[in-house]
Amino acid sequence: MAGPQNRTASETQDAGSRTITGPGNRNGSDELIFFVNGRKIVERNPDPETTLLTYLRRKLGLTGTKLGCAEGGCGACTVMVSRYQPASRGLLHCAVNACLAPLCSLHLVAVTTVEGIGSVARKLHPVQERIARSHGSQCGFCTPGIVMSMYALLRNNPRPSMADVEEAFQGNLCRCTGYRPILEGYKTFTVDGGCCGGKGKDGCCMTNGKGGLQNSKVGLEEATSLYNTADFEPYDPTQEVIFPPELMSLSKCEESSRSLCFRGERTTWLQPDSLHEFLLLKWKHPDARVVVGNTEVGIEVKFKNMAYPVVLAPGSIAELNAVTHTEDGIVFGAACTLSHMGAVLRKAVQSLPPHQTEVFQAVLEQLQWFAGQHIRNVAAVGGNIMTASPISDLNPVFMAAGCKLTLMDKDGSREVLMDDSFFTGYRKTAVEPQEILLSIHIPYSQKSQFISAFKQSPRREDDISIVTAAMSVTFSPGTDVVKDLRLSFGGMAPVTVLARRTADRLLGRQWGEELLQEACSLLAEEMSLDPSAPGGMVSYRRTLTLSLFYKFYLRVLQKLGLQGLSVQEVSSECLSATEVYRPETPSSVQVYQAVPEGQSLGDVVGRPIMHLSALKQATGEAVYCDDVPLYENELYLALITSTKAHARILSVDTAAAERSPGVVCCLFASDVPGSNITGMRQDETVFADGQVTCVGHIVGAVVADTQLHAQRAAKAVKIQYEELEPVVTIQEAIVAQSFYKPIRTIQSGDLEAGFKQADHILDGEIHIGGQEHFYLETNVTLAVPREDGEMELFISSQSPSDSQAFVAKALGVPANRVLVRVKRMGGGFGGKESRTTVLSTVVAVAADKLKRPVRCMLDRDEDMLITGGRHPFYGKYKVGFLQTGKVVALDVTFYSNAGNSMDLSQAIMERALFHMENSYSVPNVRGQGFICRTNLPSNTAFRGFGGPQGLMVAENWITDVAHCLGRSAEEVRRLNLYLEGESTPYNQILQGVTLGRCWDECLSRSEYERRRAAADLFNRQNRWTKRGLAVVPTKFGIAFTATFLNQAGALVHIYRDGSVLLTHGGTEMGQGLHTKMVQVASRVLGIPCSRIYVSETSTNTVANTSPTAASASSDLNGAAVLNACQTLLKRLEPYRTQNPKGSWEDWVKAAYLDRVNLSANGFYKTPDLGYDFDMNSGRVFNYYSYGVACSEVEIDCLTGAHKNLSTTIVMDVGHSLNPAIDIGQVEGGFMQGLGLFTLEELHYSPRGVLLTRGPGSYKIPAFGDIPTQLTVSLLRDAPNDKAIFASKAVGEPPLFLASSVFYAIKDAIRAARAESGTTGPFRLDSPASAERIRNACCDRFTKLCAPAQPGTFTPWSVRV
């Protein structure tokens, strides 16, 4: 179906006539009627198990809406759903996750997708245009979802505040941009700095300075604007697409209120139209699942293999949506959405006396951080109660407040109190099977009652909790004597619990220090957890119960004091513990060097031009691999993977799978026509053969007619194993001596003499956790067999040539029969360099066997399980230093967890060793690297490629040196920085060192001295909140360490009309490589960018390409493009000379008529590279990228939560080819590093099972994690003579600068430890999660919750 319309009211009247109708009805099914982008859809056979997303993409061909996670956690699938509300006679617009929305829930609903609001071909909507022009779209895969979240917000509120915008994006993730440009672009819509739509009272906001963000002081020749808001189309809310008139009529007539029945392959969907009918159906089908928002059931069906024969959908029943205000509270129908409940409670808080709304405010506090807006828009309050999650955010509040529930069956109703008898077991309640939850009564609070609610989660926004708590205390009137106390906790048992013993012991006591002491002792005893408890973090969770009670204790003291009671005053240094977190809107500055005066306007090099695909990405028209239209006879493949980490395969039973609907065949090792041996080191197999060596090892595949059928059949395959003992962790590998060869060593100077010279020697260690790539587009391959054994593959890959070679080998054909095509990727980050071949070879084998096109896009949980990530590292060091802080000797050993194959682990370890000293000159040094062979999926390349791990260990020992001497870490770092002409441990002389300049500018721009003094003062004044600062440098070597990869090719065609087709060896994954290559060609050929086009990267245009990796792609491919363009210019030169006043088109035509070849090959290889480990000689890197970051954080010592207050980055990128793209890379890399060092944690079971397999359990940074103040400055006047047009690489180097946040956290913890009398070096492993921060801030609460001794229990997860 073609992209729909963006029409105004006058054009919409014929919308109803354009109808899409499904085939004839399945037995007994009703028709489902809904509208998509103004078009009427009549679906006669809706399957209750089909989601809106699948229907949009596969049935309607609307591929702008993307699949990112299938669990409502990333927002890539966001669409707007609009309904007519008979009660209010108004329209309700909601942003929802199409991946969770059941198709059957959409009867009489209007769906708007990204295609429906604008297109490049017709007209862009301002929401689409602004994200693109403000550089807020890099890979673009998340962009349509972000566009639709913003669009839905504007439809409800045309002039939102920045707080509204930030709330709207709570359910959206982006892995590329670092979020700043998205917020900045959309700030132009807001009252805070927004667009007036051309109707501003003091002139247009575009011209009066209100449209942009404020910039701090900047010098001459420095540019701070990356785009011009005057280029934006004004936003006019009156021009929006109207609600389909036919749908309005249908919604108002009686038709809309009849009951519905939809029958699918396995499930029947029953939608009753009255409460009476609902009760009868529940009596008839007591085991039926009740669905309103599908935010829980959708997950169960997708990820827990649950099948529900009958689903009841009572979402439209009036009684279940009713809100009734009573004398003692508000009654909410069980189907009320959380968004609606929040709106009602906010109104009540504004209109009622404060003492009555304590419960409401506690509920609102939890709702603010409950999932994301998209989930709150559809999730029902009744669903939240009935799923009985032990970590529910709201149930502890309902329990502490004594909420009452009304239950009902066909024979009548009963009221139950929500207390600890309501939850009868894990995810079980006291509700009888035939009963329904009708409503919840949330009471007003009393005058002498105080309630607080708390939630602690790994990430603040859109995250499931570690521990939730709600506490309510009621005092005898006019006293501080406890009359009633309820302490409710989630995350401390299989159910939400009340700490009854503790509460009972404290009744009749005065609210003071004695009560606090006893409460903590009692809670520590009552809230005990088994050391093996699911979820782990046992000591932390137990400590949280005490810390949160302490916060409650202080808040109540404060309130009692305000009521005039004589209670102990909360000391000023403890006040910060009573504060409720409120996010601040971030502000930012970007600084870069303007192009030289006199540079012609036509020369775009050095200018911040927009990513060439940004507009297409914002409209959903950019085509990704899985967006390629389905072939007529296409099949879908699903993988069969191992559930054991190390085992022999005894038998595989495929009988049930082969009987499943739609299945065509199963594939195993015996079906591989060529070689089953594969992998970068030929130590892997296409399919497991007799043995599996990790959970997720590919054993086979099922091919079927649809994705759903293939996946269901794959789950039906039964494999019997004989288990072998796995090696999972680095420590286990060290004990077992399970290492890959070679063990690399780099040594320089005289280590023994160095340690003798040292005044002090210290030993230390640090563990750096792994990281999931979390590219928004998972791995995907479409294989199309052609004649003569040819195979055409569409792959989301950074390395088309490797994919070509591996597929050719598996098929047993020469490489010239395999064509690999890469248009663009939805993110890569190294994860699609070598591991894409794991999937592409399997899909190609299937297509070859069946001689039909075969497609497979991995689900997020599969991708995380199978494809590996960043290597976890363990670093041990011994460092010798003088009293001055000068480091004179270093002995460091690295251990990496490589997984079950070598892949790229050797090169990764080598790069870690090449970065072991970071930016510090150490005369005597030895580094050793051990690559651990374990039974985990093979770990692989990830932005930085081992560099960040090596650099992190270096920053750890330099911090230890400072702590040991009692000096500031910044002083010790500055003292040890490299100088021009010094030599590295691998004997490379440093030239063009800009470290000192970056350092000085960073300190100046960040106002470090002022911040340091302010932080010290803050720390003296606050006991439970501490601030920390850190300044961290980086030196990152640019080149592939495998010398042969430092080459690139390009192919440039000039056509007769003067247009140019440019092809090069690099792939586009959002980093703007194609844009930069067009800029290079534009400068060399002297023609506008609009005349040059890059279509795709393919193995039949430029052969034998190196992977797009190592940050070197602009350098290598740019030089190859330059070479090709210069060849063409030389050929055109005679015609320019003959006709100097002619145009480009004239010269091209003349050359063509003169039979001149207008196609040219370009080639480049980086000169003078090569290094010998045995001799420790040669030149490893072409040059280095330098940068320095200063970050300030604030930690909550009681919970371990932290705020990123500010970050200033100064980055040397030479003469930037495109400052907008380069600043985008710096910010995106920084935010990815922020995840690595402070947030992202992969959990594995002791048997090697990955426990974190999606955005629900694995948290990448979100919009709310940006530093409140972010300054990025590109170092001026720093040309680099080693790369194209004096530029420098920028992809990987900035990532490590996020460690400045980690070391700022460590600095803040140091201040907290000093309060408890603990000083000197201490170990803090990465990431600095809330758990690690809290446990490191040792105090009286942590002492009450000592951890169990290792070895006395089996932990839930192990550190790999």
Side-chain angles (χ1 to χ4, degrees), residues 605-607 1076 1213-1220 1222 1274 1285-1288:
V605 170
R607 300 186 192 278
K1076 285 184 173 180
V1213 298
H1215 281 181
S1216 173
L1217 293 175
N1218 183 327
D1222 286 350
L1274 303 184
F1285 299 146
S1287 65
K1288 272 191 176 183

Side-chain angles (χ1 to χ4, degrees), residues 672-701:
V672 178
S675 171
N676 193 41
I677 302 297
T678 187
M680 301 302 287
R681 294 299 186 91
Q682 304 301 299
D683 59 348
E684 300 180 54
T685 52
V686 176
F687 294 112
D689 199 355
Q691 189 166 325
V692 292
T693 52
C694 71
V695 176
H697 198 147
I698 297 172
V699 176

